[in-house]
């Protein structure tokens, strides 16, 4: 054995000893916090859905805010892909973060679909839904705090122009029924894709790829079905930020465009209901 080989082995042992010592030090840190581990599965799922929805909605709203403020200084820089892309990536990150804990539904319509497929108990469905609405509300608070100065620089009085950062409104001359159909169809696609990605008979893929494809699906929906009303496809993502900005001083966010605010609530839930029936009848029943 050459001297170089001996030196290499000694260096390797030296590095290994240092790396082996590091986890031992880290264990004292982790063991301390392991004492506070929540034993209730339902509470763990609540926290996971809250955090996951916060991540998803935070990226969606932050991207909308940044696009809005940049376009004021440079109108040519405005684009319609930033928000869908950020939302898709945010969804992937959220699924990676909490998917192993709660399944990362992040959307009451998705949870409703899983409940209809008997994958959730009714109490779980309620807990998930509450967590998602609270998570979206907290995300709106974070974005509002992050861009508070920018909002003040953009306008003197809160208006529907900046309300569009946080929630959705229909495009001019787009009717109630059109936006309702838009939300039923868009959410239906999303829920069926999520069912398929979690169906071992169709897509036996790892958790990371499930997260990736869910993010891509949201990006595709946002970039192809966003014209009518912004493609919320998530009751929590639309209603909770709308409620937050109403409390924070924006006017007419519930009364503008008649009763449109009901569309992103009931449209996605109806889409989740119909897509669950469609998936069971025409997909699940035909898989060997």
């Amino acid at each position: 054995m050459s001297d170089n080989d001996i030196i290499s082995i000694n260096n390797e042992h030296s590095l290994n000893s240092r790396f082996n010592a590091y986890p031992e030090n880290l264990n004292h840190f982790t063991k301390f916090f392991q004492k506070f581990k929540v034993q209730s599965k339902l509470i763990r799922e609540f926290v996971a859905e809250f955090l996951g929805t916060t991540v998803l909605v935070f990226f969606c709203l932050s991207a909308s805010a940044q696009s809005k403020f940049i376009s004021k200084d440079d109108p040519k820089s405005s684009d319609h892909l930033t928000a869908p892309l950020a939302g898709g990536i945010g969804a992937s990150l959220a699924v990676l973060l909490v998917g192993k804990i709660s399944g990362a539904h992040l959307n009451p319509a998705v949870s409703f679909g899983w409940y209809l497929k008997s994958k959730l108990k009714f109490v779980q469905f309620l807990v998930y839904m509450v967590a998602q609405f609270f998570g979206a509300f907290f995300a709106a608070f974070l974005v509002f705090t992050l861009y508070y100065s920018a909002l003040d620089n953009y306008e003197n009085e809160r208006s529907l122009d900046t309300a569009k950062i946080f929630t959705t409104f229909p495009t001019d001359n787009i009717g109630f029924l059109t936006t309702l159909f838009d939300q039923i169809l868009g959410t239906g696609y999303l829920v069926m894709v999520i069912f398929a990605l979690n169906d071992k008979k169709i897509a036996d893929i790892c958790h990371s790829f499930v997260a990736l494809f869910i993010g891509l699906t949201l990006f595709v929906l946002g970039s192809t079905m966003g014209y009518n009303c912004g493609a919320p496809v998530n009751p929590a993502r639309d209603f909770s930020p709308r409620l937050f900005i109403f409390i924070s001083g924006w006017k007419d966010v519930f009364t503008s465009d008649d009763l449109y605010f009901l569309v992103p609530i009931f449209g996605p839930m109806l889409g989740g209901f119909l897509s669950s029936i469609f998936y069971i009848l025409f997909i699940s029943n035909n898989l060997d």
Side-chain angles (χ1 to χ4, degrees), residues 21-47:
Y22 180 72
E24 291 176 6
N25 294 330
L26 186 62
N27 282 340
H28 295 296
F29 182 79
T30 56
K31 285 179 180 178
F32 173 77
F33 286 100
Q34 284 175 351
K35 298 176 183 178
F36 302 98
K37 181 178 179 180
V38 177
Q39 299 302 319
S40 170
K41 182 175 182 289
L42 205 57
I43 294 177
R44 293 201 303 269
E45 291 171 340
F46 177 91
V47 173

Side-chain angles (χ1 to χ4, degrees), residues 86-108:
I89 294 174
S92 293
L93 295 176
V95 173
L96 283 173
L97 181 66
V98 303
K100 292 291 186 178
I101 303 172
S102 66
H105 298 181
L106 318 177
N107 185 337

Side-chain angles (χ1 to χ4, degrees), residues 25-96:
N25 294 330
L26 186 62
N27 282 340
H28 295 296
F29 182 79
T30 56
K31 285 179 180 178
F32 173 77
F33 286 100
Q34 284 175 351
K35 298 176 183 178
F36 302 98
K37 181 178 179 180
V38 177
Q39 299 302 319
S40 170
K41 182 175 182 289
L42 205 57
I43 294 177
R44 293 201 303 269
E45 291 171 340
F46 177 91
V47 173
E49 286 298 306
F50 175 85
L51 291 175
T53 308
T54 299
V55 171
L56 167 63
V57 178
F58 175 80
F59 280 113
C60 287
L61 304 188
S62 292
S64 296
Q66 181 166 276
S67 295
K68 175 72 68 177
F69 300 138
I70 290 175
S71 65
K72 180 182 179 182
D73 299 324
D74 183 10
K76 293 182 179 179
S77 67
S78 179
D79 68 86
H80 300 286
L81 292 179
T82 299
L85 181 60
I89 294 174
S92 293
L93 295 176
V95 173
L96 283 173

